Amino acid sequence: MPIDVSPRSASTDAAAKASVGRLDYEVADLSLAEAGRHQIRLAENEMPGLMALREEFGPTQPLQGARIAGSLHMTVQTAVLIETLVALGAQVRWASCNIFSTQDEAAAAVVVGPNGTVEAPAGVPVFAWKGETLEEYWRLADRIFDWTAEGADGPNLILDDGGDATLLVHKGVEFENSGAVPDPSAGSGTGDTASAEYRVVLDTLRASLARDPQRFTRIAKDLIGVTEETTTGVHRLYELSAKGELLFPAINVNDSVTKSKFDNIYGIRHSLPDGINRATDVLIGGKVAFVAGYGDVGKGAAEALRGQGARVIVGEIDPICALQAAMDGYQVARLDDVIGEVDIVITGTGNTRVVTVEHLLGLKHLAIVGNVGHFDDEIDMAGLEALPGVEKVEIKPQVHEWRLPNGRSVLVLSEGRLLNLGNATGHPSFVMSASFANQVLAQIELFTRRAQYPTGVYTLPKTLDEKVARLHLSALGAQLTELTPEQAAYLGVPVEGPYKLDHYRY
Amino acid sequence: MPIDVSPRSASTDAAAKASVGRLDYEVADLSLAEAGRHQIRLAENEMPGLMALREEFGPTQPLQGARIAGSLHMTVQTAVLIETLVALGAQVRWASCNIFSTQDEAAAAVVVGPNGTVEAPAGVPVFAWKGETLEEYWRLADRIFDWTAEGADGPNLILDDGGDATLLVHKGVEFENSGAVPDPSAGSGTGDTASAEYRVVLDTLRASLARDPQRFTRIAKDLIGVTEETTTGVHRLYELSAKGELLFPAINVNDSVTKSKFDNIYGIRHSLPDGINRATDVLIGGKVAFVAGYGDVGKGAAEALRGQGARVIVGEIDPICALQAAMDGYQVARLDDVIGEVDIVITGTGNTRVVTVEHLLGLKHLAIVGNVGHFDDEIDMAGLEALPGVEKVEIKPQVHEWRLPNGRSVLVLSEGRLLNLGNATGHPSFVMSASFANQVLAQIELFTRRAQYPTGVYTLPKTLDEKVARLHLSALGAQLTELTPEQAAYLGVPVEGPYKLDHYRY
Amino acid sequence: MPIDVSPRSASTDAAAKASVGRLDYEVADLSLAEAGRHQIRLAENEMPGLMALREEFGPTQPLQGARIAGSLHMTVQTAVLIETLVALGAQVRWASCNIFSTQDEAAAAVVVGPNGTVEAPAGVPVFAWKGETLEEYWRLADRIFDWTAEGADGPNLILDDGGDATLLVHKGVEFENSGAVPDPSAGSGTGDTASAEYRVVLDTLRASLARDPQRFTRIAKDLIGVTEETTTGVHRLYELSAKGELLFPAINVNDSVTKSKFDNIYGIRHSLPDGINRATDVLIGGKVAFVAGYGDVGKGAAEALRGQGARVIVGEIDPICALQAAMDGYQVARLDDVIGEVDIVITGTGNTRVVTVEHLLGLKHLAIVGNVGHFDDEIDMAGLEALPGVEKVEIKPQVHEWRLPNGRSVLVLSEGRLLNLGNATGHPSFVMSASFANQVLAQIELFTRRAQYPTGVYTLPKTLDEKVARLHLSALGAQLTELTPEQAAYLGVPVEGPYKLDHYRY
Amino acid sequence: MPIDVSPRSASTDAAAKASVGRLDYEVADLSLAEAGRHQIRLAENEMPGLMALREEFGPTQPLQGARIAGSLHMTVQTAVLIETLVALGAQVRWASCNIFSTQDEAAAAVVVGPNGTVEAPAGVPVFAWKGETLEEYWRLADRIFDWTAEGADGPNLILDDGGDATLLVHKGVEFENSGAVPDPSAGSGTGDTASAEYRVVLDTLRASLARDPQRFTRIAKDLIGVTEETTTGVHRLYELSAKGELLFPAINVNDSVTKSKFDNIYGIRHSLPDGINRATDVLIGGKVAFVAGYGDVGKGAAEALRGQGARVIVGEIDPICALQAAMDGYQVARLDDVIGEVDIVITGTGNTRVVTVEHLLGLKHLAIVGNVGHFDDEIDMAGLEALPGVEKVEIKPQVHEWRLPNGRSVLVLSEGRLLNLGNATGHPSFVMSASFANQVLAQIELFTRRAQYPTGVYTLPKTLDEKVARLHLSALGAQLTELTPEQAAYLGVPVEGPYKLDHYRY
């Protein structure tokens, strides 16, 4: 069974690495795996949702027979997710959904398995390392669909984050149907980054077709469905569904309350100040912070900064969210109008060019600029790079001083990408436990009740959302009150829930 | 034109009062009206949503031709609502939806009209006073359907709060169809309070049928629709709709974000401590407060109490809300487990018997118990009254010390009914401005685009919800950011909104 | 034994009233006393410090032989203080220290005594009613020095608030020494308010000299000392001491931590929003509030307003306090620079003309202006009254709309005097329990250890300050940790305290 | 001019290193210095107090002639302090006051000087590196008294942190007076750590006496005084003064409001969550945190944890602080009573064995335990190490899992030493700017107004404390209000301050 994990893979010959069998696994990697195992053990303590699911479903093995192709950041938390899926009976193959996000020690530990040896019962094949090239990334993504080692044709479930695994299947089927992968050089020829990556996707699929012209067609037919983690992935799924091109059912995990509200608000509340602190060591207290966007991310960001003694000003385009910000006691202003008094600018909008070059030029000397929203274009980094006379000085990794032609500087964190990931360690385990418990329940739901889910996009039933919350309460010492039958009848809800209408906003 | 307003109406012969013409209006009442006019003027300053609608729609008079029968607490804020409807062209007749909630000076001022005289252009007929009997209440409710003075058969729109006006029409049509009003004494004979009130409804309708056996049938046919303010009323409408018995379209104003989130969270945050303070003058700081329920009401209550320095413990049955409370830093516990350390118990659940007699017996001496939820049975007042040996001592109106057989006492506010209404003055004007701007927009929507609304229950389109928010921003000095066309295209939303999907939770 | 209590005293012939004996006390007053007794009983539950002192010192009667002349707002809380002094063995005579602050029912209840009858053991002579004239005020102040009914020449202790009782003795001695009371008309003839009141003081003392030319000289010789409640009174004492004119020792109760920090911060945090709410019913959430001064009063005010969702801007002259405000996340600005965006202005500075007429003219229409600082000149009310074209409209008692010549209005609370007293009910009982426990301990300290206190001004030893705190913990369910002997030795403090150096700032 | 700086010094022959001259400075160190210079430049932006003092006093050079021996953590912030002293005219020699706290790049940058070369004008001799032995530490401390390279006998000012430099002079004089350094082996022979260090002190002084038997006697005579940074050092000074053994005047910088309140509250509020996050990546939100001590450190800690959504329980021995905690809304409890529900334990007491082995055994599995108080014995680390069956596993540097015999583990941060230093980077620059501005002003005060300071311990005059605050306001955009002459007269304070009495508590 070939594996791909090693931090050195990236810097040595990764292609050769891909053919290394697990039994050849080096001592150095075992010690890496051991370090990862430590962290997994600590993380398990912070992921009560997943551990409770192991306890509840371990005996009945509801995922017995499930073959899961996973594409999601290969972190310590994901290691706990993977091992939970295995504990429930599933076979799993895994890749990361981002070229930088893999924690190598976590990958190594999952490959080696909980027993700490490569002997049986061994771990799970992981195809990921920190710092992949785009070519490596898509080649590794392809590997999670190759189940010959497990004696199968392909997976019957996808667990996706951002939709790349789902994309590969859909594009694969499309090209297998048309009999050929299009020539990217014949395309629009724009030559931008997206096209560059798309060319790699096409190369990857061209190689697949060459090997087996019906491979993804067979895989798609076998697939019971996909569970999708993020806004972006969900967006793609709804688009496919709307165009009638969706090939199998999908569960939108992203919009569970215990996912979207929890990781956006509480995850950001934790990881935003963490990222700013690790990047700059600048006192947040007393400073003026501008938070662009007062959705869930912005709400968490504003609360965190206020909790550290900053004065927070909120920017919003949506009058409802703006009114919420005002009622929560924040000044609501346009960045243009307050730019000269701001010490820290944080974007969390999902929008583009929220912070323009003009804004950057208007800031105080050494103001801090960072993004916890979605893509790296919330801050106009391209515009900044193109600014004549600008100079970029690395203070330390992921922290750059941009010396502006006006004599002032700004500190940009993580090159405008997610600073809570780039300068800190992203969402903490407890938050991911809620997200991932939704994932596990969604996988179980699709696998065991597949007949209920014709092709389409679904959110998890509220009862499962409530279940995820329930699994995290006792770890916090929270005691739930139970309805009496009389009270349940009065409210017209079952004693055991669900308790709210679907449109309830929490 | 007969009017019904006067605080003395209740204590004198209300039936005779009903035939008093406006020109006979007494001097005392004019000074009452003058006091109300002062308050209305102050309230207008706090109701920027309604005032902006007057400015925007005053010139085009979109409600010209509308005949609105309103049933909603006849307060100062409602006076501003009524006068806004009139300013937009409507004719209006009004009753209160609660026997206690009328502010007589507000009613008087509306009757007299903004000019301060009873000469033309005079005010609006209001049929309401503080402290109506049930018989008076339903007779007055009937009066808002009597439009002979205005030269019409009946209203063409209802603006309802709790659904009593809507009920009267539906029951009226039902009995007119069957040709007779049933005899309540032939009924189940349970003799409880609800039945007592229902008997009054039947009497009211029996008198109507005697006068005109097709009256409500004609009225229902003329009705373009109803806009409903509250959870309870909305619940009734969905039930009618589900049974196919709904007679005209209905707009659910309650579930606009700018209504439900705003008055529940921010209204309660304001009026809960206000009510406790006026009732007891007890220092909230340092005290242990138990908040039952962490929905919007509970969230506002907990924030208010923490903001005054109390230590707040939250009780919840819903694990998602419970987890939110924990993540917000509150202890989550069962009332049973902490009863002995609690100084203040506040219910905001919409549930029944959340605070039982056993709880009351377990509290500290002179603990404060109050309700800001829905009905007065959140606290088991009936059980308390029935407790052998209990003694009720009035400390002041709406504040009672209940001396318990165990030698301790509890202070119960507003007899277990809404303490923010009973001990304070309810939601402040600014909050009601948001609710009522939704009402006005819903009335305009139904009246001007009636073809879009076949019989059924609708929520307001998000664009109007956003509009209501927008109207309240500048009064708070909040400056909205505007999307560039490039950004709008990137997000796939119009520059002017709406900005969010319908299921967005805020 | 003559008494002076009755709300009707003020409106009838007060001089005659002064000769009414207790046994003639009218039925109406007994019912007033009964109402007061109810409130006293509720207040006792909120004054654990005083109740604990009754329990601790009741058996040993440390104040046996003490004759206390008290001059302090005659409220329900003061009633609990008076009855605590009596419970510890003291004889007491009482006047108010403010012409408006007496709660008549509290006064009545104290006169009648806890048994609810005027039979022995009866209550305490109280010389106070709500709404005294200045002449009445000083005549009543004189009465607390007249102990013939108790068979004594005068008091041996003063409990003072603001220093009026102390002033009377010092001025009395001064004039008795010089043999005559000066003629005020021969004075500077400025004719201002202060002089008007001083003229009354001189009249009062002239009458005293006429009756008994050595009265205050004898009283001063008998006096063991005074305990003083407030900043103003303490200031006078330090001045007297510095000039060598202080006649007896004084304990500065005001500067106990459990007094100054507690009533200023926590008392204001409670009573400021309470006052604004009762006065205006305006939503505080979302509004821009300017708090002038960030001492203890300002800290409590800012926290309260932020806790209600306001955006708070702080004005400060002291850079240390200003930096504290900034570090606590507040904008720090000059009122001049932000006047046009402010909805609520609150002063808490102890300074004069902090809000000028120019400020009032610059505010938004119907902005709210109030004071929780010290005197009524923090807002330039005199300047406002003198403004040509201004119009004052009473909205309700203690709430006035001032219509300005620029067409806008401002709402001024309590005529610029303390709004938390004028529009609400002042500091709650729990806060006063801490203040008054300091008073009781100070009285015991002076009376039982008088030899330790030569003439001079003292603060209470830290051990008593800590004791006051200790007495309030269990009512809040707070559990104190106890030092081990090893830890105490390590820190170099006694196990039972005091724990901090005198200059520790808390 | 010999220098001692290099990270490699520690691992190579440090004694030899001491004789390396600056012109031999290696390239590697220059690049280290360059990295330090970057950080100094960023820190300068966050230290407005020091930069303002450079601007104000640079022209007049008030420290011309001052020879300052500094002993204080050799960090980036201290580099800004040193260069400020130099900018004001002083000559400086520097050592660290802690064997671990030196940031080598900061030391290197200071040695090299702001010009970035070792050519004149060159930098300041620094004798410090990260990870000194005790022998190295005291030898380096001795070097700051050796001013032969500057052509002087010794310093005329000490800037001290913890009192080690002051100790060396006092002990040196004592032994020079007695003619010999005592033999530690003849002592009590307890052999504990303190004695071990004291033995090194004696060895250091013995070598000094051997070289020059009157060296410290001459130095002490020349010394104008010392300015001391910390509680511990101040405590030693008051003891020396009380015993009449203090040799020169001392200014207690620690008790300036802008020092003690600012770095304890706002520094800890920043660095505590930073340390926990970097150490553990555990979500703080929703967790139960126990904060031992509610002095300034505990107040900052509790606020930070609550600001992250934790539920905070406070432990206190002082009833006044305990009551403050309760009034701030925290549960106040004994650790013993709540140990089983606590996720995070933080000590900030200055006391010993606040967290005992019994407590550690009672905690939840993998609870986090850390100290931000004073010494490392707030947590009984010695007891934990001695616990039979305990196992210590390093998770990463400064983070250890202690596996307890009961099967549970605890995570101990920084071995029980200050976690905000060990796991994060200590107080941020802005906070140190306030502390260090006090230091600079104290040095100027002693040097320029030495006649005003006979031998004794002084705090800085309030006017300088206010000045420090003033220097930090504009960087935060805070606008101070200025008293009018009329207002200043009313308050009886100068327009320019100071504004408060000395005992004012802030």
Side-chain angles (χ1 to χ4, degrees), chain B residues 237-382:
Chain B
L237 288 167
Y238 282 114
E239 280 186 339
L240 282 173
S241 181
K243 290 189 288 185
E245 298 175 0
L246 188 64
L247 296 174
F248 36 77
I251 291 189
N252 163 1
V253 166
N254 181 66
D255 285 319
S256 293
V257 184
T258 48
K259 200 277 175 180
S260 65
K261 280 250 171 189
F262 281 74
D263 72 2
N264 286 335
I265 299 180
Y266 308 122
I268 290 295
R269 182 178 67 182
H270 179 97
S271 59
L272 169 64
D274 191 16
I276 295 174
N277 286 344
R278 296 196 204 206
T280 71
D281 287 314
V282 160
L283 181 72
I284 294 174
K287 297 292 164 59
V288 178
F290 187 92
V291 173
Y294 200 66
D296 286 333
V297 165
K299 286 178 171 77
E303 184 185 350
L305 294 166
R306 174 185 275 183
Q308 278 287 302
R311 172 158 74 91
V312 177
I313 306 175
V314 169
E316 249 300 344
I317 58 144
D318 181 325
I320 297 178
C321 296
L323 194 50
Q324 288 184 305
M327 298 306 281
D328 290 346
Y330 300 110
Q331 182 177 355
V332 178
R334 284 182 287 260
L335 185 49
D336 305 71
D337 295 338
V338 297
I339 189 77
E341 53 178 307
V342 171
D343 297 294
I344 303 171
V345 180
I346 300 298
T347 57
T349 68
N351 201 345
T352 184
R353 289 206 226 182
V354 172
V355 177
T356 64
V357 173
E358 286 66 38
H359 291 142
L360 295 172
L361 287 166
L363 282 166
K364 291 164 79 170
H365 182 52
L366 287 173
I368 297 166
V369 183
N371 170 40
V372 287
H374 198 204
F375 288 121
D376 60 349
D377 57 350
E378 300 213 13
I379 302 160
D380 185 5
M381 294 305 296

Side-chain angles (χ1 to χ4, degrees), chain D residues 411-429:
Chain D
L411 285 180
V412 178
L413 308 190
S414 291
E415 315 252 4
R417 287 189 293 268
L418 297 180
L419 79 92
N420 57 325
L421 283 168
N423 299 94
T425 61
H427 293 322
S429 301

Side-chain angles (χ1 to χ4, degrees), chain C residues 5 72 83 113 129 235 243 248 266 282 288 371 400 402 422:
Chain C
V5 71
L72 196 151
E83 297 187 347
W129 54 79
H235 187 67
K243 290 189 287 186
F248 36 79
Y266 307 121
V282 160
V288 178
N371 170 39
H400 295 88
W402 288 80

Side-chain angles (χ1 to χ4, degrees), chain A residues 198-215:
Chain A
Y198 189 51
R199 192 170 298 130
V200 178
V201 175
L202 296 180
D203 291 345
T204 306
L205 287 172
R206 191 173 301 107
S208 172
L209 246 77
R211 290 198 308 274
D212 179 347
Q214 286 295 298
R215 179 180 172 224

Side-chain angles (χ1 to χ4, degrees), chain C residues 3-6 8-9 12-20 26 29 129:
Chain C
I3 61 165
D4 276 275
V5 71
S6 163
R8 270 162 297 160
S9 298
T12 61
D13 180 2
K17 205 76 194 171
S19 64
V20 173
E26 310 155 44
D29 289 326
W129 54 79

